[in-house]
């Protein structure tokens, strides 16, 4: 390919790349700016509609707040007038606001006037008479009073704050509409929640607002309540349903995140592809909160990105068309400009072609027509040809001299090759003898290393034997020390056993004396029992005597009254003595029984003492036998220890001799290794000499060949140089 075409293609390619990159950057930035503008505009639109809905709900909430403030003063109203007054207020407010569907108030049981039972099943109450009045437009514009239907659910969920309920379907004005309740709490002077006031709102008008929101012509708008219920949708049939049922295909992976943001009142912006519309949608969710409620609502607007970027696509088409036109025009201009620039280079190429393919005329010159880089190229080309011409002249002169030198060098190298061959033969003979000597030294060294290995094994066995003998000696010394310790313990135990035997005998004797004393006490106790029987008989006789004396005193009449008193006292004394005698008898019997038990226990203890005494004597005899055996074992262990000591000394002598043999063998092996190293060095030297001689021989042969080739090359060089025309 010609340089003109190559340069044109290169420049055009660079230009196309630059224009393409700039166009892509501009279009990408324009797309980003257009998207940011669309998002900002849509966010502002969502905020605007959210604020509009907020203001609408605020108006309803203000009505509920006003009514709750009025009813908070219920304690200052006469009991009989409270329900009548509040019903009248609710009805009048509803009548004045035609856009309200209804107004209700619900109170806790007996919270208003404590008279629920009196109003049971009356208009505006339930079967308990609870105050739950609800004025609403059930059919047309007529206002109807009835009890509120879901008051229990609302009161259970009430927290004492203002609230806005999620939309529900209700019958109102002769049709079923979507209704939202805004409620304000009624708080007593004690700070307790006693009831609620609420306003029913028909949010059908919200649907008309949402249908009018069509950003970029095909945009989508929706209003969600706090729990995700669709309050208004661009597809009316979806109102009143949950967003997961209606818009899950729209949100796709963002469904749960969107529902959580709606519940928490957080804004959310994301882009998702809609398979149903086959377009990317930029979805923006903006929350709004009514008064001080804790249940925010949200406005969602989705804009089609194909409409947003429609102008960018038109701009892209225009940019591509403009770029292609500019590229074609610029390419034509570049082609002709590059042709003019490349013309001097073409002239240089033609001149070189004439020199290489023609007669080799180095006297030709290129005309210099410009003072730019092309002119410099022609001038330097002429200077280069001039230097080449001078170089060819010099080469011609030197080629003749090289021809003569090549002939002489070829003759000398032939003689040198013959001498080198003789030297190589002598070196190979010496090399064979040294190899035989090296093999003998290696075999001797291997034999000595095997002897050294055997001595090392013997030394290891002796070392192991020495360790085992030392361990055995230490173990026997430890065993001897243990035997001596056991013997000493047995000697001490012998004394303890003797003391135990003496103590056992003393205890046995003492226990026998105690048994004798107890038996004596038993005999004495029997005597006491006999004395007690005598005293019992005396008491019985005394009692009989007192009875006889009383009888005689009675016979004596008044003269015997004093004697009768004495007789009565004697009777009492006799009865008391009889009771005491009986008590003493029982005590003495218990003492006797206890003494009998002690006597039996003492006999058992005496038998055990006799067994202990017999066992102690047996242990004493066995301890004497063990001590004798331990003394004999002590003597035997000392003899074994002396024998092991002698064996240890012999083992140390053998170990010392083995170490001397090991050191001598190591010295012999070291000297053998030194001899082997010297032999190896000589062998290596001879190998190097042989290799060097062979290399010299090869080099001489190569030089001889090169000399021949050099002569041929010089002939060729002279021939080729002669082709150039330098004069």
């Amino acid at each position: 390919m010609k340089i003109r075409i190559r340069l044109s293609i290169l420049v055009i390619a660079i230009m196309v790349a630059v224009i393409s990159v700039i166009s892509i950057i501009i279009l990408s930035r324009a797309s980003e700016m257009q998207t940011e503008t669309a998002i900002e505009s849509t966010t502002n639109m969502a905020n605007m509609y959210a604020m509009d809905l907020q203001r609408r709900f605020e108006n309803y909430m203000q009505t509920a707040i006003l009514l709750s403030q009025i009813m908070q003063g219920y304690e200052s109203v006469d009991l009989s007038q409270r329900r009548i007054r509040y019903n009248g207020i609710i009805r009048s407010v509803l009548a004045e606001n035609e856009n309200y569907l209804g107004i209700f108030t619900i109170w806790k049981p007996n919270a208003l006037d404590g008279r629920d039972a009196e109003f049971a099943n009356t208009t505006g109450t339930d079967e308990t008479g609870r105050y739950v009045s609800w004025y609403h437009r059930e059919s047309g514009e007529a206002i109807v009073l009835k009890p509120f239907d879901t008051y229990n659910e609302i009161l259970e969920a009430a927290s004492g704050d203002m609230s806005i309920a999620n939309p529900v379907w209700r019958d109102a004005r002769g049709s079923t509409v979507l209704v939202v309740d805004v409620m304000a709490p009624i708080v007593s002077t004690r700070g307790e929640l006693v009831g609620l006031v609420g306003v029913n709102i028909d949010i059908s008008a919200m649907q008309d607002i949402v249908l009018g929101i069509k950003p970029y012509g095909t945009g989508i708008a929706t209003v969600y309540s706090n729990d995700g219920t669709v309050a208004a949708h661009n597809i009316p049939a979806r109102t009143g349903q949950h967003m997961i049922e209606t818009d899950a295909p729209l949100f796709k992976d963002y469904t749960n995140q969107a529902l959580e943001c709606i519940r928490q009142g957080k804004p959310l912006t994301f882009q998702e592809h809609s398979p149903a519309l086959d377009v990317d949608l930029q979805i923006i969710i903006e929350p709004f909160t009514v008064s001080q409620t804790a249940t925010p609502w949200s406005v969602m607007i989705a804009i089609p990105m194909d409409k947003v970027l429609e102008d960018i696509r038109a701009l892209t088409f225009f940019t591509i068309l403009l770029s292609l036109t500019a590229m074609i025009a610029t390419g034509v201009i570049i082609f002709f400009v590059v042709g003019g620039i490349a013309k001097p280079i073409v002239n240089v190429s033609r001149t070189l072609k004439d020199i290489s393919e023609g007669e080799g005329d180095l006297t030709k010159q290129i005309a210099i027509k410009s003072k730019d880089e092309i002119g410099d190229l022609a001038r330097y080309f002429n200077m280069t040809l001039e230097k080449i011409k001078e170089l060819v002249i010099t080469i011609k002169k030197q080629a003749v001299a090289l021809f003569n030198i090549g002939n002489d060098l070829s003759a000398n190298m032939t003689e040198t090759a013959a001498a080198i061959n003789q030297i190589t033969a002598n070196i190979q003979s010496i090399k064979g003898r040294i190899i035989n000597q090296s093999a003998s030294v290696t075999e001797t060294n291997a034999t000595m290393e095997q002897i050294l290995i055997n001595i090392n094994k013997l030394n290891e066995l002796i070392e192991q034997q020495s360790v085992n003998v030392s361990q055995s000696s230490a173990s026997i010394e430890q065993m001897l020390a243990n035997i001596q310790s056991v013997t000493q313990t047995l000697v001490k135990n012998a004394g303890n056993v003797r003391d135990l035997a003496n103590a056992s005998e003393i205890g046995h004797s003492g226990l026998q004396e105690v048994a004798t004393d107890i038996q004596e006490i038993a005999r004495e106790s029997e005597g006491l029992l006999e004395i007690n029987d005598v005293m019992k008989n005396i008491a019985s006789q005394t009692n009989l005597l007192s009875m006889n004396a009383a009888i005689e005193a009675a016979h004596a009449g008044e003269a015997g009254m004093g004697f009768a008193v004495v007789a009565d006292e004697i009777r009492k004394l006799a009865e008391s003595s009889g009771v005491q005698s009986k008590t003493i008898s029982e005590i003495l019997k218990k003492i006797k029984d206890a003494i009998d038990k002690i006597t039996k226990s003492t006999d058992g203890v005496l038998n055990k003492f006799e067994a202990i005494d017999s066992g102690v004597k047996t242990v004493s005899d066995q301890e004497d036998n063990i001590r004798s055996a331990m003394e004999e074992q002590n003597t035997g262990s000392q003899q074994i220890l002396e024998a092991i000591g002698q064996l240890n000394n012999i083992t140390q002598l053998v170990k010392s001799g083995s170490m001397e043999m090991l050191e001598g063998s190591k010295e012999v092996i070291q000297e053998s290794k030194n001899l082997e190293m010297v032999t190896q060095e000589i062998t290596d030297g001879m190998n190097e000499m042989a290799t060097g001689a062979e290399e010299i021989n090869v080099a001489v042969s190569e030089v001889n060949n090169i000399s021949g080739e050099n002569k041929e090359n010089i002939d060729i060089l002279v021939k080729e140089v002669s082709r150039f025309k330098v004069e």
Side-chain angles (χ1 to χ4, degrees):
M1 186 181 293
K2 293 184 178 181
I3 190 171
R4 179 179 184 179
I5 297 175
R6 291 172 60 189
L7 286 175
S8 299
I9 293 173
L10 178 61
V11 174
I12 292 171
I14 294 172
M15 179 193 65
V16 169
V18 171
I19 293 175
S20 299
V21 170
I22 293 173
S23 299
I24 292 171
I25 292 173
I26 292 173
L27 293 173
S28 176
R29 182 55 185 159
S31 177
E32 292 176 2
M33 292 176 65
Q34 182 71 7
T35 302
E36 291 173 359
T37 302
I39 293 173
E40 183 178 0
S41 174
T42 307
T43 303
N44 293 335
M45 182 187 300
N47 278 324
M48 179 186 69
Y49 284 106
M51 291 176 64
D52 180 54
L53 294 175
Q54 180 184 20
R55 284 193 297 269
R56 292 172 183 265
F57 280 117
E58 290 284 357
N59 292 332
Y60 303 123
M61 184 62 74
Q62 289 303 318
T63 301
I65 293 171
L66 178 61
L67 290 173
S68 70
Q69 291 174 351
I70 293 172
M71 293 183 182
Q72 283 176 1
Y74 68 96
E75 294 178 344
S76 62
V77 180
D78 184 73
L79 287 175
S80 61
Q81 297 297 319
R82 291 179 186 176
R83 300 193 182 209
I84 297 172
R85 177 177 294 185
Y86 293 156
N87 281 344
I89 293 173
I90 293 173
R91 181 181 177 83
S92 62
V93 172
L94 180 59
E96 292 174 0
N97 294 275
E98 296 180 357
N99 56 335
Y100 291 1
L101 288 181
I103 300 176
F104 62 90
T105 180
I106 54 179
W107 291 67
K108 292 184 177 180
N110 287 313
L112 178 61
D113 51 13
R115 302 169 61 196
D116 287 359
E118 299 178 20
F119 293 92
N121 294 317
T122 60
T123 305
T125 64
D126 60 2
E127 64 275 5
T128 64
R130 188 171 175 180
Y131 185 46
V132 288
S133 293
W134 179 26
Y135 284 93
H136 71 111
R137 294 181 170 91
E138 186 174 13
S139 177
E141 295 299 323
I143 297 176
V144 179
L145 173 61
K146 62 187 297 186
F148 195 68
D149 49 5
T150 57
Y151 60 86
N152 282 325
E153 298 174 6
I154 295 176
L155 277 179
E156 288 175 2
S159 61
D161 296 325
M162 289 177 285
S163 61
I164 176 171
N166 294 305
V168 294
W169 293 102
R170 280 205 184 105
D171 293 331
R173 288 176 173 164
S175 62
T176 302
V177 295
L178 200 59
V179 179
V180 171
D181 300 333
V182 294
M183 294 167 285
I186 302 172
V187 182
S188 68
T189 55
R190 295 180 297 277
E192 299 176 354
L193 177 67
V194 295
L196 295 171
V197 176
V199 179
N200 306 128
I201 306 166
D202 180 5
I203 60 172
S204 300
M206 190 183 299
Q207 181 65 39
D208 296 333
I209 296 173
V210 169
L211 290 175
I213 304 174
K214 288 190 177 296
Y216 295 95
T218 59
I220 302 170
T222 309
V223 178
Y224 299 112
S225 67
N226 184 254
D227 69 341
T229 301
V230 178
H233 201 283
N234 65 313
I235 301 176
R238 295 184 178 180
T239 56
Q241 301 180 44
H242 198 274
M243 62 174 291
I244 293 180
E245 300 174 359
T246 61
D247 293 338
L250 181 66
F251 294 144
K252 295 178 68 175
D253 296 338
Y254 290 88
T255 301
N256 292 330
Q257 183 181 355
L259 180 59
E260 188 65 25
C261 288
I262 290 170
R263 287 174 176 171
Q264 296 181 5
K266 295 181 179 179
L268 179 65
T269 300
F270 62 93
Q271 189 174 116
E272 190 61 81
H273 181 75
S274 172
L277 302 176
D278 193 23
V279 68
D280 290 338
L281 295 176
Q282 184 70 37
I283 299 173
I284 297 168
I285 298 176
E286 283 295 324
F288 65 91
T289 303
V290 179
S291 294
Q292 299 176 3
T293 59
T295 52
W297 285 33
S298 298
V299 175
M300 186 278 290
I301 297 179
I303 56 175
M305 294 307 295
D306 60 338
K307 298 293 183 179
V308 172
L309 300 177
E310 190 173 9
D311 294 338
I312 299 301
R313 287 197 295 271
L315 179 61
T316 302
F317 178 76
F318 176 75
T319 302
I320 293 173
L321 183 61
L322 182 62
S323 300
L324 290 175
T325 303
M327 290 176 189
I328 293 171
T330 306
V332 173
I333 296 172
I334 289 173
F335 181 79
F336 288 105
V337 170
V338 169
I341 295 172
K343 187 174 181 180
I345 299 174
V346 173
N347 293 333
V348 173
S349 176
R350 290 173 179 173
T351 302
L352 290 175
K353 182 178 180 181
D354 292 339
I355 294 173
S356 61
E357 295 179 355
E359 298 178 355
D361 188 0
L362 299 177
T363 60
K364 290 185 177 182
Q365 295 289 316
I366 297 176
I368 300 173
K369 296 182 179 181
S370 62
K371 295 182 178 181
D372 54 5
E373 287 79 359
I374 302 299
D376 294 338
L377 175 64
R379 183 170 62 256
Y380 293 137
F381 178 78
N382 293 336
M383 294 173 64
T384 302
L385 286 179
E386 186 66 27
K387 290 184 178 180
I388 292 173
K389 182 177 70 174
E390 294 176 357
L391 178 61
V392 169
I393 292 172
T394 303
I395 291 173
K396 281 184 176 181
K397 294 179 181 178
Q398 297 298 325
V400 176
L402 287 173
F403 179 77
N404 296 328
I405 292 171
N407 289 331
D408 296 338
L409 179 61
S410 178
N412 292 329
M413 287 309 300
T414 301
E415 296 177 359
T416 302
I420 290 298
N421 286 331
Q422 185 63 36
I423 293 171
T424 301
N426 294 332
I427 290 174
Q428 290 293 336
S429 177
I430 296 172
K431 177 181 176 182
R433 296 175 184 177
I434 291 175
I435 289 172
N436 293 332
Q437 180 182 353
S438 176
S440 299
V441 172
T442 301
E443 184 176 357
T444 302
N445 191 19
T447 303
M448 289 306 299
E449 285 180 352
Q450 185 63 38
I451 293 172
L452 180 60
I453 290 171
N454 294 331
I455 293 173
N456 280 328
K457 290 182 179 178
L458 177 62
N459 195 21
E460 289 176 358
L461 294 174
I462 293 170
E463 183 70 25
Q464 185 174 2
Q465 179 181 356
S466 177
V467 172
N468 293 333
V469 170
S470 298
Q471 290 178 352
S472 299
S473 177
S475 299
I476 292 172
E477 289 178 356
Q478 182 66 31
M479 183 177 69
L480 184 59
N482 293 334
I483 291 170
Q484 292 175 354
S485 176
V486 171
T487 303
Q488 293 175 1
T489 303
L490 291 173
V491 172
K492 293 180 181 178
N493 287 342
N496 294 331
V497 170
R498 286 193 295 273
D499 293 339
L500 179 61
N502 294 331
S504 177
E505 291 177 358
I506 294 169
H508 186 267
S509 300
L511 188 60
Q512 285 179 343
E513 293 176 0
V514 171
T516 303
D517 294 338
I518 290 171
Q519 291 174 358
E520 183 66 26
I521 291 170
R523 286 192 294 272
E524 294 294 334
S525 298
E526 291 176 355
L528 291 173
L529 286 171
E530 293 175 357
I531 293 170
N532 188 55
D533 290 338
V534 173
M535 290 176 63
K536 189 185 295 184
N537 290 329
I538 293 170
S540 177
Q541 293 296 326
T542 302
N543 187 25
L544 182 61
L545 180 62
S546 65
M547 290 175 64
N548 291 330
I551 294 169
E552 292 298 329
H555 290 165
E558 293 181 1
M561 290 184 66
F563 186 73
V565 172
V566 174
D568 186 60
E569 291 296 328
I570 291 172
R571 182 184 61 77
K572 292 179 180 179
L573 178 61
E575 290 177 353
S576 177
S577 297
V579 172
Q580 295 297 328
S581 176
K582 185 178 181 181
T583 302
I584 291 170
S585 178
E586 291 176 355
I587 293 172
L588 287 174
K589 286 180 180 180
K590 291 180 180 178
I591 292 172
K592 187 176 183 302
D593 292 339
I595 289 172
D596 291 340
K597 291 180 181 179
I598 293 171
T599 302
K600 292 180 181 179
S601 300
T602 304
D603 292 340
V605 172
L606 284 172
N607 293 331
K608 291 181 180 179
F609 261 109
E610 290 176 358
I612 290 170
D613 187 48
S614 176
V616 168
K617 288 180 181 180
T618 302
V619 170
S620 178
D621 295 339
Q622 291 178 354
E623 191 273 339
D624 291 337
N625 294 332
I626 293 171
R627 186 178 63 206
S628 300
M630 293 303 294
E631 289 175 353
E632 292 177 0
Q633 188 173 2
N634 186 17
T635 303
S637 298
Q638 287 180 350
Q639 293 175 356
I640 294 172
L641 184 62
E642 291 175 358
I644 288 177
Q646 294 176 0
L647 178 61
N648 193 16
N649 293 332
I650 295 171
T651 301
Q652 293 296 328
L653 293 174
V654 174
K655 181 179 179 181
S656 176
S658 176
M659 291 300 294
E660 291 178 358
M661 291 174 64
L662 180 63
E663 293 298 328
S665 298
K666 287 182 179 179
E667 291 178 359
V668 172
I669 289 176
Q670 185 63 38
E671 293 300 326
S672 176
K673 287 183 177 180
N674 292 336
L675 178 60
E676 184 180 5
M677 290 174 62
V678 172
T679 304
Q680 186 64 37
E681 290 176 357
I682 295 173
T683 302
D684 292 341
M686 292 307 298
N687 287 332
E688 291 176 358
M689 289 176 63
T691 302
E694 290 177 357
E695 290 176 354
I696 292 171
N697 192 12
V698 172
V700 169
S701 299
E702 184 67 21
V703 170
N704 194 12
N705 294 331
I706 291 172
S707 297
E709 293 177 358
N710 188 33
K711 183 174 181 300
E712 294 176 359
N713 291 334
I714 291 172
D715 293 339
I716 294 170
L717 176 63
V718 172
K719 181 178 179 182
E720 290 297 326
V721 170
S722 300
R723 292 176 57 190
F724 285 97
K725 180 180 180 182
V726 294
E727 295 178 353

